[in-house]
Amino acid sequence: MKSFFAPHFGLHTAVLMTGVSLLAPISTAVAEELGIIQVESTTIDDRFENKRDEPSNIGVISAEEVDAAHTQNIQQLLQSVPGITTEVQSGDSIKIHIRGVENQVYMGERPGVAVVIDGVPVFERTGRVNIDLDNIESIKVVKGGASYLFGDDALAGAVIITTKRGAANAGIRLSAEAGSFGYKKGLARVGTAGESFNGHVQVSRRELDGYYDDSASKADYVNGKLQYYLDEASDLTFGFEHSDREKNSHGSVLGVTAAELDPRSEDPAYNDYANRFDVVLDKLFLTYASDIDNHSNLMVNTYQFTDQTRFLSKPLDADPSSYTYDNDYYQVQRGVKAEYRSGGESLAWMLATDLRDNRYDNEVTFLDCSEAYGACSVGGLYDDNTTDEKVSAIYGEVKFRPADKLVMTLNGRYDVLDLDYADNLDSTLDDSKQFKVASWRLGGNYALNTNFDFYANASTGFRAPTVEQLFVGSASPTMRTEGNPDLEPEYALNTELGMRSRGSLFGVSMDIDLALFQIDRKDHIQSTAGQYTTASGNIYDNTGDMRSRGLELALSTDPQRKLSFDVAYTYMLSEYTKYDSFYLQTYNPAYDSTCSPYSSPVPCAPKYISTLYDNTDNEVPRVPHHHLNVTAHVMPKTNWLVSLEMDATSSYYADEINQEKIGGYTTFNLLLNYDRPSDSGDWGLFARVDNLFDRNYYNTVRGHGDGNDDGVYDQEDLSIVVNQGRTYTAGLSVHF
C-alpha cells in the first residue's frame, strides 16, 4: 500500500507551521479571560455560531453571501468550501460529497453526507438534494465523521441548512432574473414584524430550457415562517415549504468523440437510465426554544417531511425516448428532537434525543414489455414494497476546561435503527433487521492567544445497510444484485489537526482556518461483482475500504474593505486501501443473440466477458488532488461591488481501475452588484457571467465498463457531461 505521510506529511506539516509563523505576529496580546464555555453543537438550529472552542473544521455561508452571489445552484456556493466536491444533475439538484467519500457512485445512492434542512435529515429518492436558494438563512458544513450528532449516513460530515426567518424579512420584496438557455426566475415575499411576532411568506418559480437536449427543468416554491415570542426568553417557530419540481436527467454523451461532436447530447440513441422526474416535497416543522437562564437553553423540534417522486427508468434499446418502467415513490419522514444545554466557567454539557418514524412506499409498473425482465404486462406491477424505518437515539456533548487555554470536547451518540420491509407482491420476502450503533468525537481547542487557536479531533461516522442491500437487491441498469441479511454497517474514522486565526497580516485583517485530515472508511457496501457491473450470483457485501488524506485552507479578509478576497484550497489524496474484487465488463465478440440455451447443442456464449481487477491502492474516481477557489471583491464606488472568481481543478481519474485520466481546468466567473438603499425602500441589480472565457471542459466523467459494446474499454466508453460554456444571468430586485 502506498504511504501518504512518508512523502507528504512533512510537506503538509511544513505548510501548517509556515502558516503559524506567518500569522504569529497577528496578535501578541496577552490571553484574555475566556469566560463561559457554551455547547455550540446542535442538530436543530443555527443560533450557535461561535467557533472559539470548536475542535472541528467547520465552514459557514451566511444568507448575505448566498443572496449576493446570485447563483443558479448551490454547487456554485459550496465550491468555496474546502474539502467538498459536488455533482450537478440539472436545475438546482445536486449531489454533495465531502473528503472523497462516495465519489465513485453517481446514481441514486446516498452520498455519505447528512444533509439537514431545518433540523431534519433529508434524503430524496434521487440520491441528490433540491434546495431553494432564495430561502437560505445559513449553510453550515461540518467535515469529518459526524454521526456523533446526526446519526446514519454522516460518514464524511454534514451540510446543515437553515431557512430564512426573522424581522429582516419584513416588508415586500420583488425580484426577477433572466439568463442563458431560457433561465427565468421570479420571486415575491411579504413579511411583517411586531413586538411579539414576525413572519413572512415567499413564492418563487425557476425555469430553465437547458443547454442539453431534453434537459428543461421547472421548480415552484411556496414557503414561509412565523416566529412568535412567548416571552423575553422563549419563542415558537412554525415553518413550511411546498415545492413542485419537474426536471429531466439528461446531458450525458458516450465517449470523447461524441463529447466533441454532440456536446448537447442531441443524438436520440443515448438517454439516461432514469429520467422525467416529477418531485413534490412538503415540509412542516415547529420549533420551541427557551433560554432558561443566562447559560441554559432548551430546544424541541417536531417535523413532517414528505417526498413524492415519479420518474421513468430503463430506456429501450430500440427507442431510447421510451422507457420500460414507471416509478412512483412516496416517502414520509416524521420525528421529534429535543436538546437541553447548560454552560459554565469550567464545564458545559448538552443532552438530547432524536426519534424518527419514516415510511417509504415504492411502486413500479411496466410501460413496455419488449425489454423487460421476467413476466410482464403493460400497466402491471413490477415491484410494490413498503419500508418502515424507526430510529431511537440519544446524543450529547460535554465540554470542560482542564487548563486556562484548553477546552476539551467529548461527544457521544447511540442509535437503534429498526428496518421493517414488506413486499406487497410476495409476502415470503418480508423481513426486518435492527442495528445498534455508537458514534463519538473527542477533540480539543487550545487558545494560544485571544485570536489564535489550535484544534484537533477524532470522530466517527456510520451508514447502516438499506433494505435493498439486506433483503431484496436493487434494480441496476442491467440486472439485480441479491440482498445479504448479514451485512454490517459501514464505518468511518476521521482525524484532524488544525489552526484557526483572526487578526491582521501586513495591515490587512483576515480570518484563516488551516487543517490536516485523514478519514478512513471501512466495510464499504457494494455488489461483489463491482460497481455497476454484472456477474452470476453477485450479492451485496462489505467489500472494501478507502482512505482520504489532505489539507484544507480557508482564508478571508474584511469584506468592508475596498479590496477584499476569499481563498479556499484543498489538497486531497483518496485511495482504496482494500478493493480486490472489481469486475470490468467488455462485450464478447462470440456472443450470438439468436442462440437458445434450450435448443443449442453447444452452450451459448455470454454477452459480456468479466475481467477481475484488484483496485487496492488505486485512487477514488473524480477526486482531484488540487482544488483552488479564489474570489476578489472590489468596491469601486459606493453601492457598487465587482467580484472576480477563479476556480481551478487538477486532473482526476474517471474510473476505479485508474485507466482513464481527465485533465484539469480553470474557469473564471464575473459578478457585478449594485445596491441602492433609500428611505422609501431598497433596490438592486446584478449581472453575472459564468465561465467568462468560455473554457471547454467536462462537468462530469464516469467510466465503469464497455458502454458501446465494441469489445474494448477505452475513452469512447466514458459517460461525459460537457460544460455548457459561457452563461449570462441578470436581475433586478426591490424591497420596501
Side-chain angles (χ1 to χ4, degrees):
M1 184 174 64
K2 298 176 185 176
S3 173
F4 174 88
F5 279 131
H8 296 288
F9 184 73
L11 172 62
H12 287 176
T13 304
V15 172
L16 180 65
M17 297 314 296
T18 299
V20 173
S21 62
L22 285 174
L23 294 170
I26 285 178
S27 177
T28 57
V30 177
E32 298 175 353
E33 173 60 43
L34 295 179
I36 300 299
I37 302 175
Q38 297 282 4
V39 173
E40 303 292 333
S41 302
T42 179
T43 69
I44 297 177
D45 208 348
D46 69 344
R47 63 187 67 192
F48 309 104
E49 291 295 340
N50 180 26
K51 291 184 181 180
R52 180 76 238 215
D53 299 321
E54 178 58 46
S56 297
N57 192 311
I58 290 176
V60 178
I61 303 174
S62 67
E64 292 77 17
E65 292 172 303
V66 174
D67 293 341
H70 299 290
T71 61
Q72 291 188 25
N73 59 65
I74 197 173
Q75 183 268 346
Q76 295 167 295
L77 293 168
L78 291 178
Q79 66 187 12
S80 66
V81 179
I84 288 186
T85 52
T86 54
E87 177 193 340
V88 178
Q89 185 183 42
S90 62
D92 55 2
S93 178
I94 187 173
K95 199 163 192 175
I96 302 170
H97 302 296
I98 295 178
R99 292 181 173 173
V101 172
E102 279 302 67
N103 264 71
Q104 76 275 22
V105 298
Y106 48 83
M107 292 192 184
E109 302 92 347
R110 293 180 294 176
V113 175
V115 179
V116 181
I117 302 177
D118 289 324
V120 182
V122 177
F123 172 71
E124 295 186 25
R125 178 63 178 85
T126 59
R128 294 163 174 84
V129 63
N130 296 270
I131 300 166
D132 182 6
L133 289 173
D134 299 302
N135 193 32
I136 293 179
E137 181 71 20
S138 68
I139 304 172
K140 184 176 181 180
V141 180
V142 178
K143 289 175 279 188
S147 292
Y148 61 88
L149 278 179
F150 301 100
D152 193 19
D153 203 37
L155 283 169
V159 176
I160 305 103
I161 297 170
T162 304
T163 56
K164 289 186 182 295
R165 63 155 184 247
N169 298 293
I172 298 175
R173 184 177 184 87
L174 304 172
S175 68
E177 298 178 9
S180 303
F181 310 116
Y183 172 71
K184 296 185 289 290
K185 188 194 82 171
L187 177 146
R189 184 174 70 223
V190 178
T192 184
E195 292 185 1
S196 60
F197 68 93
N198 69 76
H200 72 275
V201 176
Q202 177 174 288
V203 296
S204 64
R205 165 172 282 196
R206 291 172 177 257
E207 295 183 10
L208 181 67
D209 294 336
Y211 168 76
Y212 312 102
D213 180 59
D214 195 24
S215 63
S217 64
K218 181 181 70 173
D220 292 314
Y221 300 93
V222 181
N223 46 54
K225 277 187 181 176
L226 175 63
Q227 189 172 23
Y228 179 70
Y229 307 113
L230 299 173
D231 51 46
E232 292 183 354
S234 59
D235 62 77
L236 276 174
T237 301
F238 170 72
F240 69 91
E241 177 176 295
H242 172 80
S243 62
D244 190 347
R245 302 179 178 92
E246 298 175 7
K247 59 190 182 70
N248 297 322
S249 175
H250 198 50
S252 300
V253 294
L254 187 62
V256 295
T257 300
E260 180 179 357
L261 300 178
D262 185 24
R264 291 175 179 257
S265 189
E266 295 174 315
D267 187 342
Y270 187 80
N271 215 334
D272 286 11
Y273 182 76
N275 211 338
R276 309 288 191 273
F277 287 89
D278 186 353
V279 182
V280 178
L281 303 177
D282 286 290
K283 305 174 184 178
L284 298 170
F285 74 91
L286 181 67
T287 300
Y288 169 76
S290 177
D291 294 328
I292 297 173
D293 55 40
N294 290 337
H295 308 309
S296 301
N297 172 272
L298 172 67
M299 288 195 297
V300 181
N301 172 256
T302 183
Y303 60 86
Q304 175 174 297
F305 279 22
T306 62
D307 172 355
Q308 173 109 39
T309 298
R310 301 200 65 174
F311 63 97
L312 309 181
S313 61
K314 194 181 185 302
L316 302 179
D317 292 335
D319 178 13
S321 63
S322 300
Y323 288 81
T324 306
Y325 304 113
D326 183 7
N327 301 261
D328 188 350
Y329 180 87
Y330 185 70
Q331 169 181 306
V332 181
Q333 295 177 257
R334 298 186 180 96
V336 60
K337 294 181 179 182
E339 296 179 350
Y340 181 84
R341 55 178 42 77
S342 182
E345 292 186 0
S346 59
L347 178 69
W349 56 274
M350 175 183 71
L351 183 63
T353 185
D354 182 357
L355 304 175
R356 309 177 195 174
D357 186 359
N358 304 328
R359 182 181 177 91
Y360 311 97
D361 293 310
N362 187 42
E363 183 179 281
V364 183
T365 56
F366 289 104
L367 291 173
D368 191 287
C369 289
S370 59
E371 298 173 20
Y373 301 120
C376 172
S377 62
V378 175
L381 284 170
Y382 170 66
D383 200 2
D384 184 8
N385 59 73
T386 300
T387 300
D388 289 306
E389 177 188 48
K390 290 181 171 57
V391 178
S392 302
I394 57 171
Y395 60 99
E397 178 172 313
V398 175
K399 300 178 78 168
F400 60 97
R401 181 178 290 149
D404 287 343
K405 298 181 180 182
L406 178 63
V407 174
M408 299 296 296
T409 302
L410 175 63
N411 291 83
R413 177 174 170 126
Y414 187 75
D415 282 88
V416 178
L417 294 85
D418 289 290
L419 298 174
D420 190 359
Y421 172 80
D423 190 309
N424 300 320
L425 300 180
D426 185 354
S427 61
T428 63
L429 299 179
D430 296 359
D431 216 328
S432 61
K433 187 81 171 183
Q434 183 181 82
F435 295 98
K436 298 179 180 180
V437 188
S439 310
W440 54 269
R441 177 182 68 164
L442 176 62
N445 188 95
Y446 182 79
L448 185 66
N449 55 50
T450 56
N451 293 313
F452 198 104
D453 293 354
F454 286 104
Y455 61 89
N457 79 87
S459 60
T460 65
F462 80 91
R463 178 162 65 192
T466 65
V467 292
E468 290 82 5
Q469 294 167 340
L470 288 165
F471 309 130
V472 297
S474 63
S476 72
T478 49
M479 66 176 294
R480 295 180 70 89
T481 300
E482 296 302 321
N484 179 2
D486 297 323
L487 288 171
E488 296 294 330
E490 302 178 38
Y491 288 93
L493 173 63
N494 176 85
T495 52
E496 192 173 82
L497 172 66
M499 48 148 285
R500 186 181 295 122
S501 176
R502 170 175 294 177
S504 62
L505 179 63
F506 306 123
V508 179
S509 60
M510 63 178 61
D511 292 346
I512 293 182
D513 203 328
L514 179 64
L516 300 173
F517 69 87
Q518 174 175 301
I519 185 165
D520 285 283
R521 178 186 183 185
K522 300 293 185 181
D523 295 331
H524 176 214
I525 299 173
Q526 72 170 28
S527 167
T528 54
Q531 190 72 29
Y532 310 131
T533 303
T534 66
S536 178
N538 59 312
I539 64 170
Y540 284 106
D541 205 353
N542 297 103
T543 59
D545 309 327
M546 65 85 69
R547 170 177 292 162
S548 284
R549 290 169 167 170
L551 174 148
E552 296 167 346
L553 169 67
L555 186 152
S556 62
T557 62
D558 184 358
Q560 303 303 315
R561 291 174 54 88
K562 291 288 186 181
L563 173 63
S564 62
F565 57 89
D566 302 299
V567 177
Y569 170 72
T570 305
Y571 174 84
M572 182 156 52
L573 179 61
S574 297
E575 297 177 311
Y576 296 110
T577 54
K578 177 187 175 185
Y579 195 176
D580 55 9
S581 179
F582 178 89
Y583 288 86
L584 187 139
Q585 285 186 339
T586 52
Y587 180 77
N588 184 2
Y591 171 70
D592 181 1
S593 61
T594 65
C595 179
S596 170
Y598 304 104
S599 59
S600 175
V602 179
C604 295
K607 185 175 182 179
Y608 295 103
I609 300 172
S610 295
T611 303
L612 178 64
Y613 283 82
D614 184 350
N615 292 330
T616 303
D617 293 339
N618 282 5
E619 294 187 21
V620 177
R622 291 171 290 283
V623 182
H625 287 186
H626 305 276
H627 178 225
L628 175 64
N629 184 273
V630 180
T631 304
H633 308 280
V634 180
M635 291 191 290
K637 292 184 178 181
T638 304
N639 304 327
W640 288 89
L641 178 64
V642 180
S643 301
L644 179 64
E645 178 186 28
M646 181 193 76
D647 194 73
T649 297
S650 64
S651 60
Y652 58 89
Y653 287 106
D655 50 16
E656 283 90 339
I657 67 172
N658 286 186
Q659 175 180 303
E660 302 300 329
K661 197 166 191 177
I662 309 303
Y665 58 87
T666 300
T667 59
F668 292 85
N669 307 315
L670 181 65
L671 175 64
L672 173 67
N673 273 303
Y674 178 77
D675 293 298
R676 182 63 181 268
S678 67
D679 294 337
S680 58
D682 303 334
W683 65 275
L685 55 84
F686 80 93
R688 181 181 175 109
V689 184
D690 288 289
N691 198 354
L692 180 64
F693 300 111
D694 202 21
R695 174 69 188 272
N696 183 27
Y697 67 97
Y698 302 149
N699 283 349
T700 306
V701 188
R702 312 153 174 166
H704 72 273
D706 183 9
N708 61 2
D709 285 355
D710 65 354
V712 178
Y713 172 67
D714 56 22
Q715 60 184 356
E716 296 298 339
D717 298 302
L718 300 176
S719 177
I720 301 172
V721 178
V722 181
N723 183 263
Q724 60 192 1
R726 184 188 297 117
T727 59
Y728 303 89
T729 315
L732 172 70
S733 64
V734 294
H735 184 201
F736 52 90

